[in-house]
Amino acid sequence: MIAKPGAAVDSVLPLDLRPGYHVNSNAPSDEYLIPLRLSWNPGPLEATGFAFPQPRMEKYSFSEKPLSVFTGDFQIVTHFKASANAAAGPATLTGKLRYQACNNSMCLPPKTLDVSLQVEIVK
Amino acid sequence: MKDADGNAVNLADYRGKVVLVNFWATWCGPCEAEIPWFIEFEKKYKDQGFAVLGVSMDDDGWKSVRPYIASHKINYRIMIGSEVVSQQFGEIESLPTSFVLDREGRIAANHVGLVDKVDYQNEIVKLLQDPKSIAIHDAGTGVLAGLTGASVRAGQRP
């Protein structure tokens, strides 16, 4: 990704879930469910917001109510703003993706994955 | 492990009882579906020598679990699990995972994922009513002895 100091840029994180599995959306239906979260560490770009896809309301055999989930292939867009005084040159932005997946009968423990983004700051 | 009241829980103290050990978490939907069944089993079979022990695998421990116990009116003992406890049961990789122990503390059945309520109920009732035969069958000795016997007979045929 190329960014100019002070400019707004977007990055896309594509995700692909194993068939039959779902993750809770960023706004789960129940307070105890673990939401999908993406966060970025401080760097030459600052995350100003995220765009998640529209969640699916899916009914599973274990739940009386439909759950707000993501399934299959989807992507999270991060809206960044490059720091006005970012130094020119390459940089790596790092972050974390936290998720918790289930299928129709069981759940896997929550996981946190490291994510990274290569950035080139140009004047 | 300690329960929500801070009392130590030791499986050895349950020798002589049929015990359902359920690994679960507050964030696990299929686990939540089973909880009303376990509440019912605890009420129904407690006086016959049965107990449910819930082992929560929530990372934040009692912070999430204590209010969950109250809101779901859980009537059986809950403990907070750990990696060590998980390994003692053969590494718990997904939830719910449950073990039904006979009166000798042996694993008579285990279930990974949500299963039918009636499956648990049948196992509990059988173990409560006829603990010896179930223990022998699930230890494998009954089944294996039968197969070995058949093999020996075939080998001795002229």
Side-chain angles (χ1 to χ4, degrees):
Chain A
M1 171 185 287
I2 296 172
K4 288 185 176 180
V9 287
D10 287 349
S11 82
V12 175
L13 178 66
L15 299 166
D16 181 11
L17 283 186
R18 201 187 303 172
Y21 280 81
H22 65 265
V23 293
N24 299 310
S25 76
N26 53 313
S29 333
D30 184 289
E31 61 176 315
Y32 287 105
L33 299 179
I34 295 172
L36 182 66
R37 285 275 183 269
L38 177 60
S39 61
W40 294 98
N41 297 320
L45 302 182
E46 181 194 355
T48 56
F50 298 93
F52 289 84
Q54 184 71 23
R56 297 165 63 109
M57 295 303 291
E58 291 277 350
K59 177 80 179 69
Y60 295 96
S61 60
F62 58 79
S63 177
E64 290 176 5
K65 296 177 295 183
L67 301 180
S68 175
V69 299
F70 296 129
T71 58
D73 297 346
F74 63 97
Q75 58 188 32
I76 305 172
V77 177
T78 306
H79 304 305
F80 287 107
K81 187 173 182 186
S83 169
N85 54 9
T92 302
L93 207 60
T94 59
K96 304 276 186 194
L97 178 76
R98 182 165 168 80
Y99 68 94
Q100 192 274 305
C102 298
N103 65 20
N104 205 30
S105 72
M106 64 183 187
C107 293
L108 301 174
K111 278 197 173 176
T112 302
L113 293 182
D114 291 327
V115 292
S116 65
L117 180 64
Q118 301 302 317
V119 186
E120 180 78 26
I121 303 292
V122 294
K123 295 285 183 181
Chain B
M1 287 190 291
K2 289 186 175 179
D3 66 13
D5 297 324
N7 298 316
V9 180
N10 191 334
L11 264 183
D13 298 338
Y14 286 83
R15 190 61 62 91
K17 289 188 176 189
V18 173
V19 182
L20 191 158
V21 180
N22 169 238
F23 287 84
W24 68 289
T26 58
W27 42 259
C28 167
C31 304
E32 187 177 28
E34 293 183 331
I35 286 173
W37 310 344
F38 298 158
I39 290 171
E40 182 189 323
F41 296 157
E42 176 81 8
K43 264 188 212 165
K44 198 170 175 181
Y45 302 117
K46 187 177 182 177
D47 293 343
Q48 296 175 46
F50 171 76
V52 181
L53 297 176
V55 183
S56 162
M57 300 304 283
D58 284 81
D59 287 342
D60 59 356
W62 294 116
K63 184 184 172 193
S64 292
V65 174
R66 210 179 287 280
Y68 193 96
I69 292 172
S71 65
H72 289 70
K73 298 182 170 58
I74 294 176
N75 61 350
Y76 49 88
R77 295 178 89 181
I78 297 288
M79 289 76 69
I80 303 298
S82 63
E83 191 58 39
V84 172
V85 176
S86 164
Q87 283 169 359
Q88 285 171 344
F89 281 83
E91 199 74 55
I92 307 299
E93 292 180 343
S94 59
L95 301 176
T97 293
S98 296
F99 299 85
V100 184
L101 310 184
D102 69 13
R103 292 184 192 267
E104 296 299 318
R106 293 173 294 203
I107 295 172
N110 75 302
H111 299 287
V112 178
L114 185 64
V115 295
D116 287 340
K117 177 185 175 184
V118 72
D119 291 345
Y120 281 117
Q121 192 146 16
N122 288 343
E123 288 159 5
I124 292 164
V125 169
K126 274 186 185 176
L127 287 168
L128 287 171
Q129 290 176 346
D130 193 7
K132 281 184 183 171
S133 66
I134 296 297
I136 288 167
H137 173 78
D138 285 292
T141 51
V143 174
L144 289 175
L147 289 174
T148 305
S151 169
V152 169
R153 277 196 298 276
Q156 286 174 341
R157 213 167 42 182

